[in-house]
Amino acid sequence: MYFPIGWPKVLKNLGTESIMQIVSNRDKILFASLSEECFGVWFCKPSVPIVYHRRTSESIQRLGVNVGIEWKPDSSMICISTSEGHLILYNVESQNEQSAYQQCDPPTASLRRDSAELFVKEVITSLKITLFKEILVWDGHITRMCCISGTEILVCTTRAHLLRYRWDGSQNRDYCLDLGRIPFSINQQVSKAEPILEDNTHVNDIEYSPLVCGFGITLNDGRAAYLTAPNLKFDPNAVQGIWAQGIDDATCVRVNHKFRLIAIGRRNSQIDVFTIDELTGGLELSHTMLLSSKDFPGDPGPVKCMRWSGDGRAVAACWERGGVSVWSTFGALLACSLAWDYGLSRDLAKDNPLVVCSMEWATEGYQLWMVKVEDETKSNLIQMDFVKSPLTVNPCMSNQRHLYLQADDKLYINLEDNLTRRTKISMDDYSDMYQENGNDQSLEYESAAKYKEFVDDNECRKQWTVLQLPATYIASNWPLRYSAVDTSGAHVCVAGRAGLAHYSSVSRRWKLFGNEAQERDFVVTAGLLWWRDYIIAGCYSMTSSHDELRLYPRDSKLDSRLARLVRAHAQVLTMDVLADQLVVFGADALVSIYELTRIDNMGNVEVRCVQAVDVSALSHPACVLQASLCRLQDAPDSLIINASGKLMMVQREEYDVDEDNNPCPMMQIFVC
């Protein structure tokens, strides 16, 4: 769940030209803005420009103006496509010995900084852009580029070709694709498949996902399809196209990697989201994102652009006639600028003040960068800040009764006591109220019970408590990634880029690592949770270079020497706890169940692995959102797995471990 907060911020353009496109690198820390004759690179936070490059007039006349831009996954190169069918490769070199910005205090004593919040600890490294190679694509105009790996980029042309170029400038001719030779059908079980025979048909939008094992594409004639192959090499003789049925007005496409969904924007202003049928291999309509008449009674026009958030829990979309919206993964409207109050004199159907042509999410989804069109010759970069539910990255918080949201440097908390108010009324009054509602059945209750307790939702308080993270921690570990609140709501734990910190509402104080080296020695990768008075974190140790579980006692000082460390066999992806049982899911597709036992009051905890379940047959580990335990009657605790939005249950049987404390094999029953 994502919600906008505050006013959008306008960034000053580096040049006088109109910006056409904004693209982030894989880490979503660096942003490249593209105009017809130049491009620039911005830093995420603080939002400042780092480098600016303008092409010469001779280069523009010979190669054409800029039309597209793409990052190499390691951010070491940038590829520019031009209107005359050329690719321009640039090297992006980091000048580690130089900082792009230096902070200097003014000579006036009253204006000097005296607070830690005013010192920016983020080091903004200088970048140097140099021309690497110019490539002529003898295949018409370039319509779209798509990076498919760390070594190759896919280039789509108006001659219905999908050309694969290496980042060194050479072409991988053996694996280039031709739409006229790819068989298309409605699913992978249909024996009759035909290629595209129409002339002047080409790809106008494309996105690749290895978890979907294919490409989502839209054609210039309005059709949409899914290109797949038996393996990720994409041999031209093995590629098959699957049509998205009922789509003849597609404008853009985006793929959700974690939920394995393909979203297709249409000219009728709606977004159709398809899933891949595991039986037939065809595209099946999952749901539709459509504005209701209450949200906007008019027609905002064709869908212009879409972007999924990094965690796949939200998608941002904009329309050609103006307006920006944010939807949840399965179609709930979270925010829409068309429903904002612009005054009585503004007709949004004819003159929308927010027309966006390109957008991109920032790191952790806390910012949405957009290119706002002012007029035909002018555009601006704007930012919109967001807060999100902690369930997007830390699903083990779903069993909490407290409501809270997290921003990049603060938490918005509303405890259960504020959300509900319990009221006692006389049972005689309750009986009269019960009969007035049309139910004549007599109420049975003990004579000693004279009062009944109920929850009065009308007495709820919607006031948020804003908990600002300490500047000494967040300044060097921005942004906030994970957060957890204990069952009482009195203690909060947070984790940023490195280390962790926790807060007590009783003492109103934060606890940080006394040794900053220990704080930088590990990175929380799998979320946080509370077990009794312990903080459990799934981490990666920078010093020992392996993954582990860490248990920190709440009442002791934050010190790694006092923590209980348990080495993990693979990267920890998600965790959950039920009573004294800890469920850990790793990148090796193994669900490990640990039994936690508190030995004494000195912080000693015994962690014993009692069972392991291999779920590699169910889903790719990156698509598993949550693994939890639940209790059903008198049976052993059942294992619940959420994979790409599909809920599966594994019935556990009695288990045992061998003498080396390794889990023994077990029988498994899968129920979907």
Side-chain angles (χ1 to χ4, degrees):
M1 303 291 282
Y2 281 72
F3 305 98
I5 184 171
W7 289 95
K9 303 173 184 177
V10 180
L11 305 181
K12 184 178 180 180
N13 289 355
L14 295 177
T16 58
E17 296 183 358
S18 176
I19 299 176
M20 303 182 301
Q21 189 179 2
I22 183 78
V23 177
S24 69
N25 66 344
R26 183 177 60 179
D27 299 329
K28 299 187 180 299
I29 295 294
L30 300 177
F31 290 81
S33 60
L34 181 71
S35 57
E36 289 187 349
E37 299 182 0
C38 58
F39 69 92
V41 178
W42 295 71
F43 195 76
C44 181
K45 186 174 180 179
S47 303
V48 292
I50 302 177
V51 65
Y52 177 77
H53 178 81
R54 176 181 291 275
R55 293 171 54 198
T56 63
S57 58
E58 184 272 335
S59 173
I60 295 174
Q61 184 177 2
R62 179 169 50 91
L63 305 178
V65 298
N66 302 330
V67 295
I69 188 171
E70 193 72 25
W71 283 91
K72 190 178 180 181
D74 61 0
S75 304
S76 63
M77 296 185 73
I78 285 179
C79 181
I80 301 287
S81 62
T82 68
S83 59
E84 297 299 327
H86 289 75
L87 297 177
I88 308 176
L89 298 178
Y90 292 93
N91 284 323
V92 181
E93 302 175 10
S94 176
Q95 310 292 319
N96 294 324
E97 67 280 359
Q98 298 180 4
S99 177
Y101 290 88
Q102 294 183 354
Q103 304 174 71
C104 300
D105 286 327
T108 305
S110 60
L111 298 179
R112 293 177 183 175
R113 295 167 295 176
D114 56 359
S115 177
E117 292 84 352
L118 301 178
F119 290 84
V120 179
K121 294 185 179 181
E122 192 73 48
V123 178
I124 306 174
T125 306
S126 297
L127 299 178
K128 181 181 179 181
I129 293 180
T130 56
L131 178 64
F132 174 68
K133 185 173 289 187
E134 297 174 352
I135 307 168
L136 174 61
V137 181
W138 292 89
D139 204 65
H141 296 288
I142 298 173
T143 59
R144 191 70 64 180
M145 295 186 299
C146 175
C147 187
I148 58 178
S149 68
T151 58
E152 287 187 340
I153 185 172
L154 189 72
V155 180
C156 304
T157 68
T158 54
R159 295 185 181 177
H161 291 159
L162 283 72
L163 308 177
R164 294 174 67 164
Y165 281 88
R166 301 181 183 92
W167 281 98
D168 60 4
S170 61
Q171 186 182 97
N172 191 356
R173 296 180 181 272
D174 295 337
Y175 288 92
C176 293
L177 304 178
D178 185 354
L179 289 181
R181 296 184 179 181
I182 299 177
F184 284 81
S185 61
I186 59 174
N187 58 57
Q188 299 182 31
Q189 293 183 344
V190 176
S191 59
K192 184 180 180 180
E194 297 179 351
I196 297 177
L197 303 177
E198 295 85 356
D199 295 333
N200 300 323
T201 301
H202 59 265
V203 174
N204 66 354
D205 198 11
I206 185 171
E207 188 176 29
Y208 170 71
S209 172
L211 296 179
V212 176
C213 193
F215 300 86
I217 66 171
T218 58
L219 306 179
N220 61 324
D221 60 4
R223 289 180 291 179
Y226 159 61
L227 300 182
T228 185
N231 54 61
L232 296 181
K233 291 183 178 180
F234 283 92
D235 189 320
N237 298 320
V239 176
Q240 183 179 358
I242 308 298
W243 290 116
Q245 300 185 66
I247 301 294
D248 57 1
D249 58 351
T251 59
C252 55
V253 63
R254 277 296 173 267
V255 180
N256 188 319
H257 314 282
K258 210 168 188 64
F259 288 87
R260 303 184 78 244
L261 299 172
I262 300 177
I264 300 174
R266 304 181 61 178
R267 293 188 179 276
N268 60 3
S269 75
Q270 73 182 35
I271 301 172
D272 289 349
V273 182
F274 290 83
T275 183
I276 302 173
D277 193 323
E278 297 180 357
L279 297 178
T280 65
L283 291 181
E284 180 182 356
L285 181 64
S286 171
H287 56 278
T288 298
M289 300 177 183
L290 177 64
L291 290 175
S292 64
S293 57
K294 181 181 69 173
D295 299 319
F296 185 66
D299 180 15
V303 179
K304 177 68 175 180
C305 179
M306 295 184 300
R307 289 294 183 273
W308 288 100
S309 60
D311 52 28
R313 301 303 184 108
V315 60
C318 62
W319 295 275
E320 284 192 0
R321 298 177 187 172
V324 176
S325 61
V326 179
W327 309 74
S328 69
T329 305
F330 292 98
L333 182 61
L334 304 178
C336 182
S337 66
L338 297 174
W340 296 350
D341 186 5
Y342 295 96
L344 300 176
S345 61
R346 178 77 68 172
D347 186 0
L348 298 183
K350 298 179 181 179
D351 182 22
N352 195 308
L354 186 58
V355 179
V356 175
C357 64
S358 180
M359 60 176 61
E360 194 72 72
W361 288 98
T363 177
E364 300 297 326
Y366 291 122
Q367 292 176 335
L368 182 62
W369 289 54
M370 295 175 285
V371 179
K372 180 178 179 291
V373 179
E374 301 292 346
D375 51 46
E376 296 181 356
T377 60
K378 183 181 178 182
S379 62
N380 288 323
L381 273 179
I382 63 173
Q383 286 180 353
M384 185 178 293
D385 294 331
F386 281 81
V387 294
K388 65 179 182 178
S389 168
L391 301 180
T392 58
V393 289
N394 201 21
C396 63
M397 287 292 100
S398 60
N399 58 2
Q400 288 291 337
R401 297 170 296 178
H402 310 296
L403 177 63
Y404 74 104
L405 302 171
Q406 63 183 50
D408 60 342
D409 60 354
K410 61 178 69 71
L411 294 175
Y412 294 83
I413 303 176
N414 205 335
L415 301 180
E416 183 197 18
D417 295 339
N418 291 339
L419 295 175
T420 58
R421 178 177 178 181
R422 298 184 178 275
T423 306
K424 290 185 178 181
I425 64 173
S426 170
M427 290 298 292
D428 296 333
D429 298 337
Y430 183 80
S431 177
D432 297 338
M433 181 180 64
Y434 191 83
Q435 294 178 0
E436 288 177 0
N437 290 334
N439 195 328
D440 295 334
Q441 297 180 3
S442 59
L443 294 175
E444 297 181 0
Y445 54 90
E446 298 181 1
S447 58
K450 298 181 180 179
Y451 296 92
K452 183 175 180 64
E453 186 178 71
F454 76 102
V455 176
D456 187 2
D457 292 332
N458 295 325
E459 297 293 335
C460 297
R461 289 183 289 172
K462 304 300 189 297
Q463 183 177 1
W464 294 90
T465 301
V466 180
L467 180 61
Q468 183 71 42
L469 272 62
T472 52
Y473 174 76
I474 200 63
S476 56
N477 294 292
W478 183 91
L480 170 64
R481 289 182 175 174
Y482 302 99
S483 62
V485 177
D486 66 353
T487 55
S488 65
H491 299 89
V492 179
C493 182
V494 297
R497 189 187 311 165
L500 57 85
H502 64 94
Y503 174 82
S504 172
S505 61
V506 178
S507 62
R508 295 189 177 184
R509 295 185 62 182
W510 284 92
K511 278 190 178 181
L512 308 178
F513 277 93
N515 188 346
E516 291 188 5
Q518 291 186 1
E519 183 180 89
R520 296 190 298 266
D521 281 347
F522 70 96
V523 178
V524 178
T525 61
L528 301 166
L529 57 85
W530 289 89
W531 173 72
R532 298 190 180 182
D533 53 354
Y534 286 86
I535 302 169
I536 303 179
C539 311
Y540 177 78
S541 175
M542 308 295 288
T543 55
S544 56
S545 299
H546 62 73
D547 296 274
E548 60 190 14
L549 299 172
R550 295 195 177 196
L551 286 80
Y552 286 92
R554 183 192 65 196
D555 298 328
S556 302
K557 64 178 182 179
L558 268 181
D559 193 327
S560 296
R561 294 174 297 181
L562 303 177
R564 174 74 165 91
L565 306 183
V566 180
R567 185 163 183 171
H569 298 288
Q571 178 185 354
V572 181
L573 298 181
T574 182
M575 303 183 305
D576 204 350
V577 66
L578 177 64
D580 294 334
Q581 297 180 94
L582 177 66
V583 182
V584 177
F585 178 75
D588 55 356
L590 200 66
V591 179
S592 302
I593 302 176
Y594 295 87
E595 189 176 86
L596 306 177
T597 305
R598 185 169 182 172
I599 300 176
D600 52 33
N601 295 328
M602 303 300 294
N604 296 321
V605 177
E606 179 186 1
V607 182
R608 186 170 68 96
C609 181
V610 296
Q611 194 173 20
V613 182
D614 186 0
V615 295
S616 58
L618 297 180
S619 174
H620 191 282
C623 296
V624 174
L625 308 174
Q626 186 177 8
S628 306
L629 287 176
C630 70
R631 290 178 176 171
L632 301 176
Q633 298 179 353
D634 297 330
D637 297 339
S638 300
L639 182 62
I640 301 296
I641 296 176
N642 183 355
S644 298
K646 299 178 181 178
L647 197 62
M648 291 166 279
M649 183 174 67
V650 180
Q651 290 283 58
R652 300 169 59 208
E653 296 184 355
E654 296 298 329
Y655 55 86
D656 199 0
V657 295
D658 57 20
E659 57 184 8
D660 296 328
N661 200 29
N662 294 321
C664 297
M666 58 168 289
M667 296 295 294
Q668 305 174 17
I669 303 175
F670 301 97
V671 182
C672 296

